[in-house]
Amino acid sequence: MPPSELTYSRVKVRLHWGFSISYPTASKEKRGTLLPPPTTLVGALSYGRFRGVDSGDDLRSSPAISIMDKVRVASARFEGEGTYIEDIVRNTVSYFQKPERKADRRYMFNVVPTGRVYTPGGLLTLVYVTEIPEDELRRLSWSIIRLGSKEGLVSVEDVEVGRALPVRGKVRTSYYFRASVPHSLGDLVYADFWEGGMSWGKEGKLVRYAIPLKQVPLRSVEVGVEAQEAYRVGDEYVVVG
């Protein structure tokens, strides 16, 4: 689909308590991301395709793969504020043990610092630029029910769907983007999100992202970006490269 025919969806979701999304390389140190990464957002969007549908025999791949190649951009920002905390949680750790300990119940559980973003009743805005037709994109956007872990429930409050307009040059954005894109300095957090690795046995590739964000409390801000590829979505911009 030509860039001029791409569609966008801007989704406002109300968080019940917050979210907890661990980095895939985390083991007993379960650091959490400060915003849901692109793969989590695509997974949330794909849910509407499979809700109430038998996934079949192939359980070794994420359902998100079915739409991954149709999503040009997936990003997010805070509408309000949040707080990052690492809670002490009792987790199963038997899979980290030596072979001779795996069957010993004494080593089955342990306390694990687990990263969580708390923002009870807070709002996030999720944005997608896709090749998905507008009607289907609207339906999938309204079908989002969680972000990350199954406890990370959300309620969709508003969905805006339209044509994504390609732009380039200097823009300002509050949505995260690849850190390789030239950008101004300011309130930024850098994080390694991942691409691929959504099938069993296939390792994802870490990609550095820049997140326009104040950290205490967590609050999205705008930064200037010199973009070679970006899209206007309503009255905002999201950056690809």
Side-chain angles (χ1 to χ4, degrees), residues 128-214:
Y128 302 91
V129 175
T130 79
E131 299 176 12
I132 301 171
E134 286 189 23
D135 287 347
E136 183 183 5
L137 183 59
R138 182 179 288 106
R139 180 179 64 81
L140 293 178
S141 298
W142 279 110
S143 297
I144 293 172
I145 64 167
R146 66 182 176 94
L147 293 172
S149 63
K150 63 184 179 181
E151 297 85 7
L153 298 174
V154 302
S155 299
V156 177
E157 295 205 341
D158 186 63
V159 173
E160 176 186 301
V161 175
R163 292 292 179 182
L165 303 177
V167 298
R168 62 184 301 172
K170 293 182 179 180
V171 299
R172 294 188 66 80
T173 186
S174 55
Y175 296 97
Y176 57 70
F177 53 89
R178 292 187 180 191
S180 58
V181 181
H183 55 273
S184 60
L185 299 178
D187 293 305
L188 288 162
V189 176
Y190 295 94
D192 292 324
F193 292 155
W194 52 96
E195 295 179 354
M198 303 183 78
S199 294
W200 183 265
K202 294 184 178 180
E203 188 172 343
K205 178 179 69 174
L206 292 178
V207 178
R208 192 79 160 165
Y209 275 77
I211 308 174
L213 196 68
K214 286 184 178 292

Side-chain angles (χ1 to χ4, degrees), residues 22-213:
S22 298
Y23 284 91
T25 54
S27 55
K28 281 193 64 178
E29 183 206 6
K30 295 182 67 174
R31 292 182 302 116
T33 65
L34 301 182
L35 276 168
T39 47
T40 296
L41 298 181
V42 174
L45 189 67
S46 73
Y47 178 76
R49 277 194 173 187
F50 298 94
R51 185 175 185 177
V53 178
D54 190 343
S55 59
D57 296 330
D58 186 8
L59 302 178
R60 300 170 70 84
S61 297
S62 166
I65 291 176
S66 69
I67 65 169
M68 181 64 76
D69 61 350
K70 295 184 178 180
V71 178
R72 188 73 59 91
V73 182
S75 192
R77 66 175 170 83
F78 287 99
E79 287 292 335
E81 297 178 346
T83 301
Y84 178 78
I85 295 175
E86 291 192 354
D87 288 335
I88 301 300
V89 179
R90 183 176 184 261
N91 277 359
T92 301
V93 296
S94 56
Y95 39 82
F96 300 126
Q97 302 294 342
K98 298 177 180 179
E100 59 270 21
R101 286 186 173 187
K102 287 185 182 294
D104 192 330
R105 292 186 62 83
R106 291 178 300 171
Y107 304 107
M108 184 171 292
F109 301 102
N110 205 337
V111 293
V112 177
T114 302
R116 292 173 174 169
V117 173
Y118 285 100
T119 173
L123 277 172
L124 292 183
T125 297
L126 320 179
V127 65
Y128 302 91
V129 175
T130 79
E131 299 176 12
I132 301 171
E134 286 189 23
D135 287 347
E136 183 183 5
L137 183 59
R138 182 179 288 106
R139 180 179 64 81
L140 293 178
S141 298
W142 279 110
S143 297
I144 293 172
I145 64 167
R146 66 182 176 94
L147 293 172
S149 63
K150 63 184 179 181
E151 297 85 7
L153 298 174
V154 302
S155 299
V156 177
E157 295 205 341
D158 186 63
V159 173
E160 176 186 301
V161 175
R163 292 292 179 182
L165 303 177
V167 298
R168 62 184 301 172
K170 293 182 179 180
V171 299
R172 294 188 66 80
T173 186
S174 55
Y175 296 97
Y176 57 70
F177 53 89
R178 292 187 180 191
S180 58
V181 181
H183 55 273
S184 60
L185 299 178
D187 293 305
L188 288 162
V189 176
Y190 295 94
D192 292 324
F193 292 155
W194 52 96
E195 295 179 354
M198 303 183 78
S199 294
W200 183 265
K202 294 184 178 180
E203 188 172 343
K205 178 179 69 174
L206 292 178
V207 178
R208 192 79 160 165
Y209 275 77
I211 308 174
L213 196 68

